[in-house]
Amino acid sequence: MSKKILLTGGLGYIGSHTAVSLIESGYDVVILDNLSNSRKDVLEKLKKITKVMPKFYFGDARDEGLLIEILKQNVEAVIHFAGYKSVYDSIKSPIEYYDNNLNCLIRLIDAMNKTGCRNLVFSSSATVYGIENISPLIENMNMGTCTNPYGRSKQMTEEILKDITVSNPEFSAIALRYFNPVGAHPSGLIGEIPRGVPNNLMPYISGVASGKYEVLNIYGNDYDTRDGTCIRDFIHVCDLADGHVKAIEYALKNNGFDAINLGSGNGYSVLEIVKAFESTNNIKINKKFSERRAGDIAISYADIKKANQILNWGPRYGIEDICRDTWNFEKMMFQDERV
Ligand code: NAD
Ligand code: UFG
C-alpha cells in the first residue's frame, strides 16, 4: 500500500508542485489548507496533471482536533508548508506572522506526538542565514541576524525542531532551506498566483511581460557584484518539489534533525535574469533602476553538497526552463482570467 503523506498548505505554490512529485512517485497525498493564499481549483489542476485527486481538508493547521483526525488515518509523514511568507507583511503585522507560523508548528507537533506520527519535513528558508554569512551558504554556518519577523519565525521553528528531536530521539525533522523558488509546472496548470502586487522578482517580471505592470523597478545597481545588481540562487519549483520527495524518503529511514539547502548552487544577478527572460521568451521587459530595497543583501546562493550527498538530489532545470515555464504559466493565467 502506498505511504500516506499530509501536506499542510498543500494547495499553495510549493505545496501543489510537491503534491505532483509525490503522487508521481507513488505516495498517497492528503492536503490540509485554509485557502488563505491559494485557490481550491488547484485540486482540479492536480487531477489533470496526475490523474489523481488528492483528499482535501479545508481547515486551519492550528486546529489540533482536525490535525489529530487526519493524522489518525495512518499518515506516515507530514510536509509542513502552511504559513505566511511575505517579509514586508511580517514587518507590518508581526503578531499575525508569529501566530500563524509558530502556532501551526506547535499544534502540529503536539498532534503528531499524540498520534505517533514522527516524520516531519519543514519549509525553512535561506533567510535563516541572516545578513552576515558569506555565500556560498553552508548548513553548518551559524544562523545569522534576521532583520524581520518572517525570518525570525523560520529560525525559531528550526530551534523548536531541534528541541523536539532531542526530547524524542525517534522523531525525524528535516528543515529544507529554500533559496529563491521560481518557475511553474511545465503544463502551465499550476504556478505562483500572487495576491495583489508581487514583492518577488520573477512574478513581477512576468507581470510586466503580460502588461499587468508598466515597468520593473530594479532595486539597486551599485552593489559590489559583477553588474551592480543583487545575486540570488533561483531554483525551479519542480526541482524543489523533487527535493521534498527525497527528503521524505530520508526522513522515513532516519531520525534526528537536519537542515538542508535546496538551491541551484549558482548565483544569477537580477539583470542576468531579466536578460534570460527576454531572450528565452523573445519579449522586451520595460525596466528602470531605482533605490536599493531595505533589507536586501548583495549576494545569496547555496552550497548544495549536503543535498547531493544525503538526499541524492540535484537540480535538473536551468535558467531557460525557469523563464519559459514562468511565462507559460503567466499566459495560461491570463487566459483563465478572461474566461
Ligand atoms: P503559499 O502562500 O503559496 O502556500 C502556503 C499555503 O499555506 C497556502 O495555500 C495557504 O492558503 C496555506 N496556509 C497558510 N496558513 C495556513 C493555516 N494556518 N492553515 C492552513 N493552511 C494555511 O507559499 P509557498 O510559496 O508555497 O511557501 C510554502 C512555505 O515555504 C511557506 O512556509 C514559506 O514561508 C516557505 N518558503 C517560501 C519561499 C518562497 O519564496 N515561495 C521561500 C522560502 C520559504
Ligand atoms: N527585485 C527587484 N525588483 C522587484 C523585486 C525584486 O529588483 O520588483 C530584486 C530584489 O531587490 C532582490 C532580488 O530581486 O535583489 C530578489 O528579490 P526577491 O524578492 O524575489 O527575493 P529575495 O531574495 O529578496 O527573497 C527571497 C524569498 C524570501 C526569503 C528571502 C531570503 O522571497 O521569502 O529570499 O532567503 F526570506
Side-chain angles (χ1 to χ4, degrees), residues 9 11-15 33-38 59-62 81-85 100 104 123-125 150 154 178 181:
L11 290 187
Y13 175 44
I14 302 168
D33 202 302
N34 67 1
L35 303 179
S36 58
N37 197 33
S38 53
D60 199 291
R62 285 162 290 194
F81 298 101
Y84 295 147
K85 63 170 177 176
N100 203 25
C104 278
S123 300
S124 190
S125 163
Y150 167 74
K154 294 295 181 191
Y178 311 152

Side-chain angles (χ1 to χ4, degrees), residues 35-309:
L35 303 179
S36 58
N37 197 33
S38 53
R39 300 191 332 205
K40 203 176 165 199
D41 65 3
V42 168
L43 279 172
E44 319 293 333
K45 311 268 169 92
L46 293 179
K47 181 158 184 220
K48 254 190 174 166
I49 297 170
T50 64
K51 316 277 179 276
V52 174
M53 175 82 94
K55 186 159 171 76
F56 175 61
Y57 291 85
F58 171 69
D60 199 291
R62 285 162 290 194
D63 180 345
E64 194 174 322
L66 177 58
L67 285 168
I68 289 174
E69 182 193 324
I70 301 170
L71 291 172
K72 268 185 177 166
Q73 296 164 43
N74 300 320
V75 170
E76 304 230 8
V78 181
I79 309 185
H80 181 44
F81 298 101
Y84 295 147
K85 63 170 177 176
S86 157
V87 169
Y88 178 75
D89 290 347
S90 80
I91 294 167
K92 282 194 305 181
S93 313
I95 291 304
E96 243 178 77
Y97 266 68
Y98 287 124
D99 177 23
N100 203 25
N101 291 5
L102 296 179
N103 280 330
C104 278
L105 178 89
I106 291 166
R107 297 277 65 84
L108 175 63
I109 304 261
D110 218 17
M112 290 175 75
N113 282 338
K114 285 175 182 156
T115 53
C117 179
R118 296 192 193 93
N119 303 300
L120 177 65
V121 173
F122 168 67
S123 300
S124 190
S125 163
T127 196
V128 300
Y129 289 107
I131 52 177
E132 290 108 2
N133 282 308
I134 306 290
S135 291
L137 298 164
I138 308 178
E139 291 87 346
N140 61 10
M141 287 172 164
N142 285 331
M143 284 202 265
T145 312
C146 265
T147 54
N148 58 77
Y150 167 74
R152 282 190 279 274
S153 78
K154 294 295 181 191
Q155 290 185 328
M156 287 175 201
T157 300
E158 289 204 13
E159 297 294 358
I160 293 170
L161 292 178
K162 278 183 217 161
D163 292 340
I164 301 306
T165 54
V166 170
S167 74
N168 180 355
E170 286 178 13
F171 206 95
S172 173
I174 299 184
L176 295 176
R177 294 177 177 169
Y178 311 152
F179 279 69
N180 290 63
V182 283
H185 191 267
S187 65
L189 290 167
I190 53 173
E192 184 166 22
I193 311 169
R195 290 239 160 126
V197 180
N199 293 316
N200 295 120
L201 179 64
M202 214 54 188
Y204 208 96
I205 294 177
S206 58
V208 172
S210 65
K212 266 195 292 205
Y213 315 114
E214 210 174 297
V215 58
L216 170 73
N217 285 296
I218 295 183
Y219 299 131
N221 63 346
D222 56 352
Y223 285 98
D224 187 14
T225 60
R226 49 188 176 256
D227 61 19
T229 64
C230 288
I231 289 180
R232 291 291 181 274
D233 183 334
F234 297 93
I235 176 81
H236 195 296
V237 66
C238 292
D239 279 331
L240 206 62
D242 290 345
H244 289 75
V245 177
K246 300 281 190 173
I248 282 292
E249 286 166 6
Y250 185 82
L252 290 170
K253 290 193 200 121
N254 296 277
N255 299 332
F257 174 81
D258 262 298
I260 305 176
N261 289 340
L262 290 185
S264 71
N266 295 310
Y268 284 91
S269 77
V270 173
L271 265 181
E272 285 166 350
I273 289 297
V274 175
K275 282 182 192 149
F277 190 95
E278 290 182 322
S279 61
T280 305
N281 299 314
N282 203 15
I283 292 177
K284 191 102 201 84
I285 300 296
N286 191 17
K287 55 185 178 296
K288 69 174 170 44
F289 292 113
S290 42
E291 290 296 297
R292 288 182 178 197
R293 188 174 69 174
D296 278 343
I297 54 169
I299 301 176
S300 166
Y301 63 92
D303 179 301
I304 56 168
K305 282 190 212 79
K306 188 170 179 185
N308 290 161
Q309 281 162 10

